[in-house]
Amino acid sequence: MKRKKSILRRRAWRLSLITTLGLALILVLVLGVVDAFVASRLTAGVDSHLAQRLNAPFFPVGENLNRENSKGEFDEPVLEWVVSSRGNSTAAPGVPGLPVFLNNVTTPVTENFAGGQFRFSGKDLNQSERLVVAANLVPVSNAIGALLLGEGVALPVVLLLIFGSAFLVSLRLADPIEEMRKKQLAFTADASHELRTPLSVIVAETALAKKGSKAEMEVALEHVENEATRMRKIVNDLLWLARFDAEPKHGEDELVNLGVIVRMEIERFEAIAKERGITLSGSISKEDELTLLGKSDWFNRVVSILLDNACRYSKPEGVVSVQVERIGRKIKLSVSNGGAILKEEELEHLFNRYRRGTEEGEGTGLGLAIADAIVKASNGSWEVRAPEDGGAIFAIVWNVH
């Protein structure tokens, strides 16, 4: 059990890690796009302010240079230069000289200047002068830096929460999924085994028939026929279970009298029981009160499976008893036989596919699995007991609506 839990934990951890890494990649891409969009919008704000400055009324050169530089975005000063036709630039005191390659700038560009990044733009004032303005991008860089810092702090926390949630969900889902996988593998192995046995017998009997006399051939053909019949029953049961499992809805329910069905099935099995030296007895109380809501073919199949199992596994000269009765708001069907003693630990596995409570008999191991599927689909419940003197009592209880 500890080893199983350890394996499940490792699988859950691996699945959670893969999920978290995938989401981390998506988040990083999304945040990258968001950051690029924010940076673009902030830079566009700076460009807008530079355009406003360029389009504002222009003062004479002397006044322009003595005027306090206007403020840009984030209270950063806007630097101004007047460039002559000869390429000489003049600016207010304390403003660094304009690099020559920016004398003719017209559209906004970002360049390194005075130890930082600035946004430059310009326009012609007249035939002999141009105005170039610039704004420091440090506020934009600071805003993006603060955004990245926030994302850097929040992202690990979010990813940790995602990993923890994925791990818990994986652990909760791992158990039933692993159980289903094991059942599927066991079912496939058991089905292969059940089908391989009659096939092996058919092949062996066919080989003997080729070499034997006419009498031996007839015996071999009889064996082949028996095994082919058994294979057909296995395949039919498998197909029924597959269709039943695949259909989420099974049509409309109808009123079904369980007493009538039980009486008809007892009559059908009387010859089989007599042939095997078994006494078959039935007790049906107040038949007109034994009406259920469901599907008649389902209830027919359940009663048939229980009677077939009871007759198949009952000892010679044994007794098979069938009882159906109304108890308050419930209807109870009971079938008992005097077969081999069932071990208590075998009872919980009786309804597993290809699982038998005893090695006696020639069943396929699918009958009780089919009955269990029908009982669950019709909202019934099982009561199974193994008396100390042998045999088994199978009881099904349905609520009356």
Side-chain angles (χ1 to χ4, degrees):
M1 182 62 72
K2 288 183 178 179
R3 185 172 179 273
K4 177 185 173 184
K5 286 186 176 180
S6 176
I7 293 173
L8 291 177
R9 282 181 176 275
R10 285 201 299 271
R11 288 178 180 172
W13 187 89
R14 187 166 59 247
L15 180 61
S16 303
L17 183 61
I18 292 172
T19 303
T20 304
L21 289 175
L23 288 175
L25 180 60
I26 294 172
L27 284 174
V28 168
L29 291 175
V30 170
L31 291 176
V33 172
V34 170
D35 293 343
F37 176 76
V38 171
S40 174
R41 295 299 296 174
L42 291 175
T43 304
V46 174
D47 291 344
S48 175
H49 188 78
L50 292 179
Q52 291 176 8
R53 179 68 199 94
L54 288 172
N55 295 323
F58 180 69
F59 295 94
V61 175
E63 294 184 33
N64 185 59
L65 296 182
N66 293 326
R67 180 172 47 83
E68 180 70 23
N69 289 329
S70 58
K71 300 289 185 179
E73 293 292 305
F74 307 102
D75 291 333
E76 283 292 315
V78 174
L79 306 182
E80 300 173 359
W81 296 268
V82 175
V83 182
S84 67
S85 58
R86 296 181 179 181
N88 299 322
S89 62
T90 54
V95 175
L98 180 68
V100 176
F101 68 90
L102 291 172
N103 283 351
N104 296 316
V105 65
T106 53
T107 58
V109 294
T110 300
E111 297 290 347
N112 290 324
F113 175 72
Q117 280 197 325
F118 281 73
R119 194 75 169 166
F120 291 86
S121 187
K123 78 166 189 176
D124 293 332
L125 293 175
N126 48 55
Q127 292 183 350
S128 60
E129 290 181 323
R130 301 190 76 252
L131 176 63
V132 177
V133 294
N136 199 336
L137 291 180
V138 168
V140 174
S141 301
N142 290 341
I144 296 298
L147 181 61
L148 292 174
L149 179 62
E151 292 171 351
V153 172
L155 187 60
V157 176
V158 171
L159 292 178
L160 189 61
L161 290 174
I162 291 173
F163 178 83
S165 301
F167 184 73
L168 291 176
V169 171
S170 299
L171 276 182
R172 292 195 67 176
L173 294 178
D175 253 342
I177 291 174
E178 179 66 15
E179 197 64 30
M180 286 177 62
R181 188 185 70 84
K182 286 183 177 179
K183 284 183 178 180
Q184 187 177 25
L185 290 174
F187 177 71
T188 305
D190 290 340
S192 301
H193 174 73
E194 291 292 331
L195 292 173
R196 186 172 63 244
T197 301
L199 281 172
S200 300
V201 173
I202 289 172
V203 171
E205 292 290 349
T206 304
L208 289 174
K210 288 180 180 178
K211 301 177 183 178
S213 62
K214 184 177 180 180
E216 290 174 332
M217 183 181 295
E218 289 179 355
V219 173
L221 287 176
E222 185 178 350
H223 290 166
V224 168
E225 183 182 10
N226 291 338
E227 293 302 323
T229 302
R230 183 166 180 266
M231 279 184 63
R232 183 174 63 184
K233 179 170 175 53
I234 292 173
V235 172
N236 287 340
D237 287 346
L238 282 171
L239 287 173
W240 191 94
L241 278 170
R243 291 195 191 103
F244 192 89
D245 290 341
E247 294 177 6
K249 294 183 179 179
H250 303 279
E252 295 295 327
D253 289 336
E254 57 186 356
L255 289 175
V256 180
N257 191 303
L258 188 61
V260 174
I261 291 176
V262 170
R263 178 165 48 78
M264 293 175 61
E265 289 297 324
I266 289 175
E267 291 174 1
R268 192 164 71 89
F269 273 89
E270 278 179 346
I272 297 173
K274 187 175 181 180
E275 183 184 349
R276 297 178 181 177
I278 297 169
T279 302
L280 179 59
S281 65
S283 173
I284 303 173
S285 63
K286 299 180 181 180
E287 188 174 294
D288 58 333
E289 296 182 4
L290 301 176
T291 303
L292 286 169
L293 194 62
K295 296 171 181 58
S296 58
D297 58 325
W298 285 9
F299 294 115
N300 270 306
R301 193 167 188 119
V302 168
V303 177
S304 175
I305 288 170
L306 292 180
L307 283 174
D308 181 62
N309 275 6
C311 292
R312 189 186 301 277
Y313 296 111
S314 184
K315 294 178 180 178
E317 300 182 359
V319 177
V320 172
S321 300
V322 185
Q323 182 179 14
V324 58
E325 57 184 333
R326 174 77 175 260
I327 306 173
R329 299 287 298 171
K330 297 181 179 181
I331 293 178
K332 184 176 183 179
L333 167 67
S334 301
V335 178
S336 62
N337 69 80
I341 298 175
L342 288 177
K343 297 178 182 179
E344 195 68 31
E345 57 269 19
E346 288 290 338
L347 294 179
E348 59 179 298
H349 301 295
L350 283 175
F351 301 107
N352 292 354
R353 298 176 185 185
Y354 294 112
R355 188 64 176 259
R356 303 178 195 165
T358 173
E359 295 300 319
E360 298 178 11
E362 300 176 349
T364 63
L366 288 170
L368 286 178
I370 292 174
D372 184 50
I374 292 174
V375 169
K376 288 177 179 176
S378 58
N379 298 316
S381 59
W382 288 98
E383 294 177 2
V384 182
R385 292 187 295 112
E388 294 181 359
D389 56 346
I393 300 174
F394 288 84
I396 308 171
V397 178
W398 287 280
N399 291 319
V400 179
H401 298 286

